[in-house]
Amino acid sequence: MRIIQGLRRFFLTFLGRRHHPRTPAALAVEWHLFGSAVHHRSATEDISAGGVLVSSLKPLPVGSPVVVALATPQGRRELHARVAWSESTRMGVRFTRPLDAAAMG
């Protein structure tokens, strides 16, 4: 399965579908479905100015609006996003506004 995921990333990157380069990053992240009081704690696998890959035992369906809280060098940032893709233990979320490079550390 990891081989398929690696090939997917390779082709997405080199076919020009990615707008922002990804950086591997294992960061603690808190997220919740927009409007929900139920918060989840997970970890990231990678991050870019446009989104983040979140490991989760309960990934949300594609299109779900989420709020992602990240610890950045400037402090905690809450970012609105939508689930771009989802599989059994991970989900890719796309920020509604790009994260600035300084916040990514």
Side-chain angles (χ1 to χ4, degrees):
M1 188 64 138
R2 289 280 184 198
I3 293 171
I4 293 170
Q5 294 163 355
L7 287 172
R8 179 178 180 269
R9 283 187 187 176
F10 173 82
F11 285 113
L12 287 175
T13 299
F14 289 100
L15 291 177
R17 289 192 53 204
R18 292 221 193 268
H19 293 36
H20 307 282
R22 299 244 170 212
T23 302
L27 306 170
V29 64
E30 187 176 295
W31 59 271
H32 65 275
L33 183 63
F34 183 78
S36 172
V38 179
H39 290 240
H40 304 272
R41 292 179 195 263
S42 299
T44 65
E45 291 185 32
D46 65 32
I47 190 168
S48 77
V52 65
L53 174 55
V54 178
S55 295
S56 174
L57 295 176
K58 297 181 181 183
L60 296 171
V62 171
S64 299
V66 294
V67 179
V68 178
L70 294 170
T72 70
Q74 290 75 32
R76 180 182 161 102
R77 297 271 310 264
E78 285 196 1
L79 304 157
H80 290 258
R82 285 212 179 263
V83 176
W85 60 268
S86 184
E87 57 186 40
S88 61
T89 60
R90 313 181 315 160
M91 62 182 169
V93 299
R94 182 175 299 129
F95 303 136
T96 57
R97 291 185 187 172
L99 184 63
D100 59 339
M104 292 173 35

